[in-house]
């Protein structure tokens, strides 16, 4: 199973990702988590990424792409993976396609949630990069850089939309149903 979770930062992707990987036994690949680990480790990557993350901006494509390519090449990714927070730009999406070759992305779950609800939820998360100006900057960057991926994946027939306004349990049910539709359809084809 090769799945991408797409949606604005703060829509609940990470929470749903954790539930999905626990159930499906696939690898959870969150570029945000990898970057936070690099920052905590004080590596060169972390040093470059930190100011951008703190400002709600994107880390340069080549750095993030390198991170993901290295991770999906490892043996534990062979059974499948769930990408959470990647791709975030068209360049990243192209690099992912190129890296996966014939075994491309099978499903893209797109979480839909309004800006005000995102701000409310993000402020409750307590992450250091979750101040209101940074949250609003992340949303602006999302609209400009990441939103175009919706049309791209819809055009490829991979997109499944999920209303993310409900509780975690409610959204989990919708996510499961969306994936079942997508993956069953894929098998029939
Ligand atoms: P997240 O945990 O997904 O909200 O990511 C936290 C921060 O890490 C983002 O605000 C970006 O600064 C950075 N980041 C995570 N994933 C990516 C990505 N795919 N491309 C560029 N920057 C990213």
């Amino acid at each position: 199973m090769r799945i991408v979770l797409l949606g604005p930062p703060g829509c609940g992707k990470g929470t749903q990702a954790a539930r999905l990987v626990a159930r499906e036994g696939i690898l959870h690949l969150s570029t945000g988590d990898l970057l936070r680990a690099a920052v905590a480790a004080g590596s060169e990557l972390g040093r470059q990424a930190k100011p951008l993350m703190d400002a709600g901006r994107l880390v340069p494509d080549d750095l993030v792409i390198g991170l993901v390519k290295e991770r999906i090449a490892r043996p534990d990714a062979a059974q499948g993976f769930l990408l959470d927070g990647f791709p975030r730009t068209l360049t990243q999406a192209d690099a992912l396609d190129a890296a996966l070759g014939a075994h491309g992305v099978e499903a893209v779950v797109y979480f839909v949630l309004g800006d005000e609800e995102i701000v409310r939820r993000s402020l409750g998360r307590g992450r250091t990069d979750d101040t209101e100006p940074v949250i609003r900057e992340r949303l602006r960057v999302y609209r400009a850089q990441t939103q175009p991926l919706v049309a791209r994946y819809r055009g490829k027939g991979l997109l499944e939309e999920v209303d993310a306004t409900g509780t975690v349990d409610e959204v989990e049910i919708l996510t499961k149903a969306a994936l079942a539709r997508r993956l069953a359809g894929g098998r029939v084809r």
Side-chain angles (χ1 to χ4, degrees):
M1 228 184 269
R2 294 174 300 280
I3 303 167
V4 169
L5 300 190
L6 186 64
C11 69
K13 290 191 296 297
T15 305
Q16 294 301 326
R19 292 199 171 193
L20 266 169
V21 295
R23 200 170 62 235
E24 304 289 345
I26 54 175
L27 178 73
H28 181 190
L29 226 166
S30 155
T31 43
D33 285 350
L34 292 175
L35 290 167
R36 279 184 288 276
V39 170
S43 68
E44 174 58 24
L45 170 65
R47 202 190 53 73
Q48 289 183 51
K50 188 175 188 316
L52 295 163
M53 295 170 77
D54 286 346
R57 312 300 293 266
L58 294 184
V59 173
D61 283 334
D62 55 337
L63 297 181
V64 182
I65 289 166
L67 211 57
V68 170
K69 276 169 88 171
E70 190 270 326
R71 197 62 194 84
I72 60 177
R74 288 198 220 160
D76 62 348
Q79 296 309 310
F81 50 79
L82 187 150
L83 286 167
D84 163 15
F86 181 95
R88 258 175 158 100
T89 65
L90 288 168
T91 303
Q92 292 178 16
D94 287 342
L96 179 64
D97 283 351
L100 294 178
H103 307 288
V105 170
E106 291 168 282
V108 178
V109 181
Y110 171 42
F111 294 98
V112 180
L113 192 64
D115 283 8
E116 294 318 309
E117 179 62 10
I118 286 172
V119 173
R120 198 186 65 76
R121 286 190 194 182
S122 298
L123 286 173
R125 261 188 333 192
R127 242 165 58 181
T128 55
D129 60 344
D130 278 339
T131 61
E132 186 159 347
V134 174
I135 296 165
R136 295 214 181 264
E137 176 62 7
R138 275 206 304 267
L139 283 172
R140 191 192 65 75
V141 170
Y142 170 78
R143 302 274 172 244
Q145 311 246 60
T146 311
Q147 188 85 43
L149 297 180
V150 173
R152 181 187 200 273
Y153 285 123
R154 186 176 281 133
K156 287 177 179 269
L158 294 173
L159 204 77
E160 285 290 340
E161 220 165 281
V162 164
D163 176 356
T165 48
T167 64
V168 173
D169 287 342
E170 286 165 351
V171 177
E172 183 180 11
I173 291 168
L174 295 177
T175 304
K176 245 194 255 183
L179 280 175
R181 276 197 301 277
R182 172 60 39 200
L183 299 174
R187 258 179 241 120
V188 172
R189 247 182 273 132

